[in-house]
Amino acid sequence: MIRSERGGIWSAGYLSAVLSGVLLGISFPSYPFIRLEFIAWAALVPLLMTLRYDLGLRDFFLRVYASMLIFCAITLWWVCHATFFGGLLTIIAQAFFQSIPLLFFFFLKQLRGWRFALFSLPFAWVGWEWAYLSQDLSLGWLVMGNSQALMTPMIQYAEVTGVWGVSLWLLFINVFLADLIVSRQEGRHVVFHLLAVVVMLSGSMLYGVVAFDHADTAKEQSSVNVTLVQPDIDPFRKWEGFNSWDLIQVSMSMTDKAVTMARPDLILWPETAIPFHILDKPYQAYFDLLSKRVRRWDAALLTGFSDIVYYSREEVAGNKHLYKYDAGLDRYYQTFNASMFLEASGRVGAIYRKMKLVPFAERVPYVEYLPWLDRFTMSLAGITSWGKGSESTIMELETASGREVKLMNIICYESVFPGLVARFVRNGAEFLTLVTNDGWYAKSYGPYQHAAIARFRCIENRRAMARCANTGVSLFLDRFGRVTSEIPWWQQRTLTASLSCNSEKTFYTRYPDLLPQGSLAVALFLLLYAFSRRMKT
């Protein structure tokens, strides 16, 4: 039994916990010139070491929560730029959710000891990450594997395991290093620990070498020319200094110039580039002008916009709390954060309505079951209570060469959900598009962190991506998660590039939940095993 260590918040145990929180925080992507992701390989070691002590549940939880609170504060502080109170609540709540796998560690430690709990932790952690990400309350941003998003040469195996495999890999490296230190203290051999860490690091690098070598020799199936339009409009001033026509005019004028210099197949405007209901009858004149301009460009347009759908009394019966009511027209409606695909003919080809909504900012989780929760919604520049989409819409684009290609569009925060993107790709998407508005976060590193996470979706599915952001970062990613071209943030610019298409499906695309569900099953088995052995003794 390891002796009890106490002494208040400034004890060595608490300082070790805080150190782990700091190391985890700085290992996640931030500004491009800061590259500290390798720190995540050992960031948990100080915390795991201090959890060896004989601690009660209260002391254990306080150490763990202190560590996760520091971690979340460093990684997510930029949310406070958009909503200070909401940002604080996000950090506090997320720290609790990040602590859950370590509470599992506590109970296993009580049943079978520190080392048993230590080697069970990676399975519990990954299983919890997946379970948490699968429900509406999750933020989903701090999946452990996301810390390695910029380490593209070492994460190519995500085409097999997804980001979940990278989380498992990281956690096991931390576990082996922590046990190595304890083994040395106890006078036991550590050759196996060193060999395991070396194999894990070298194996991931070798996989990357082979993957990139294959990329150099593989033949491209087809490509599309895509133009990104970054209008650089401050989202907080969007509804103050602009009227509806001004907002369209900015992007249309930029596109006019872009198409004279390049011949795109697809033009991409950012999230809510049209922040009003352009498909509703009162805005018909605006839509007609946009449609006419699209025909002149002779290229398809994919743009974010605010969609509105009306419903009859019969359709909303029993669920009126989920809809807004227009008393003047006596009808119910919902508004959606959506994207609209206009074909080169100017006709609406498809509409995608965002399915993963930011908790509380865009929609209060579980309000469909508990209507009173709607009072906790947080308005962001007047944006609140979006409707929730339900269809994985695939869009079809005819290129200048006459070939039909299929694409998908994800909106902003949806890019952190691996299974969602895999579903689109299974449905036939040959390349990815992402529209977002990260201007809420000023010049913090939030937009860069968001852009970094998108790399995983490319690697997991071997799909190239065009990412269009209102204020940046707008960029093109290849199917290996590498940036091929980019528009600097907070600049009004356009960019045209060729994007490769791919119809092959990776192992991860076909079985996106296999590893995390397997990890969860292993964790539950280990818990039952530990409990049964304890009962026998």
Side-chain angles (χ1 to χ4, degrees), residues 59-328:
D59 284 342
F60 183 97
F61 178 75
L62 288 177
R63 293 187 188 195
V64 167
Y65 187 75
S67 183
M68 295 300 107
L69 188 64
I70 297 295
F71 166 39
C72 293
I74 293 174
T75 315
L76 298 175
W77 65 268
W78 45 267
V79 178
C80 293
H81 272 293
T83 164
F84 182 75
F85 181 66
L88 288 179
L89 287 180
T90 296
I91 292 168
I92 292 168
Q94 189 66 23
F96 172 77
F97 291 123
Q98 292 294 131
S99 302
I100 298 296
L102 289 158
L103 291 178
F104 179 89
F105 176 96
F106 172 81
F107 291 112
L108 275 187
K109 176 174 172 283
Q110 297 297 103
L111 292 170
R112 296 294 298 167
W114 179 79
R115 186 165 279 113
F116 184 91
L118 183 69
F119 282 92
S120 302
L121 179 61
F123 300 109
W125 196 302
V126 172
W128 168 249
E129 283 186 337
W130 173 82
Y132 174 53
L133 208 65
S134 300
Q135 46 81 38
D136 289 345
L137 188 62
S138 68
L139 180 65
W141 207 269
L142 300 184
V143 170
M144 187 66 72
N146 284 344
S147 66
Q148 306 299 290
L150 298 177
M151 195 77 82
T152 48
M154 297 185 69
I155 59 173
Q156 294 302 312
Y157 61 92
E159 68 171 335
V160 178
T161 67
V163 68
W164 314 114
V166 181
S167 286
L168 198 68
W169 176 84
L170 268 177
L171 288 158
F172 266 114
I173 289 180
N174 277 271
V175 162
F176 278 116
L177 290 176
D179 195 49
L180 182 151
I181 294 171
V182 173
S183 295
R184 280 186 58 86
Q185 292 174 349
E186 296 175 347
R188 294 188 292 113
H189 295 296
V190 296
V191 175
F192 173 76
H193 300 78
L194 290 171
L195 182 62
V197 172
V198 169
V199 168
M200 292 176 73
L201 292 174
S202 59
S204 65
M205 287 187 283
L206 180 61
Y207 195 103
V209 170
V210 173
F212 288 145
D213 182 64
H214 176 71
D216 294 335
T217 58
K219 293 182 179 180
E220 187 178 273
Q221 292 185 5
S222 62
S223 63
V224 295
N225 290 325
V226 181
T227 294
L228 306 181
V229 178
Q230 182 173 295
D232 193 37
I233 299 173
D234 187 325
F236 289 103
R237 296 177 56 198
K238 182 181 276 189
W239 288 271
E240 298 173 6
F242 295 87
N243 61 40
S244 300
W245 176 245
D246 287 337
L247 290 167
I248 294 183
Q249 188 63 40
V250 170
S251 295
M252 285 201 305
S253 297
M254 294 177 67
T255 307
D256 284 340
K257 296 177 183 178
V259 297
T260 62
M261 296 183 289
R263 172 65 174 88
D265 299 302
L266 176 67
I267 299 159
L268 204 57
W269 289 2
E271 180 185 16
T272 61
I274 306 173
F276 55 90
H277 314 312
I278 193 170
L279 295 184
D280 202 15
K281 286 184 178 179
Y283 296 98
Q284 183 65 47
Y286 289 136
F287 176 77
D288 291 342
L289 288 168
L290 179 61
S291 179
K292 181 179 179 180
R293 195 67 66 93
V294 170
R295 291 195 298 272
R296 184 193 303 176
W297 295 331
D298 194 25
L301 171 67
L302 177 55
T303 177
F305 82 115
S306 178
D307 191 25
I308 187 167
V309 178
Y310 294 101
Y311 304 88
S312 66
R313 287 183 178 274
E314 292 74 20
E315 289 174 308
V316 305
N319 292 298
K320 290 183 179 180
H321 63 282
L322 297 177
Y323 301 85
K324 299 171 185 176
Y325 179 64
D326 185 335

Side-chain angles (χ1 to χ4, degrees), residues 50-65:
T50 193
L51 297 184
R52 292 179 65 219
Y53 294 101
D54 184 16
L55 302 169
L57 180 59
R58 176 182 175 276
D59 284 342
F60 183 97
F61 178 75
L62 288 177
R63 293 187 188 195
V64 167
Y65 187 75

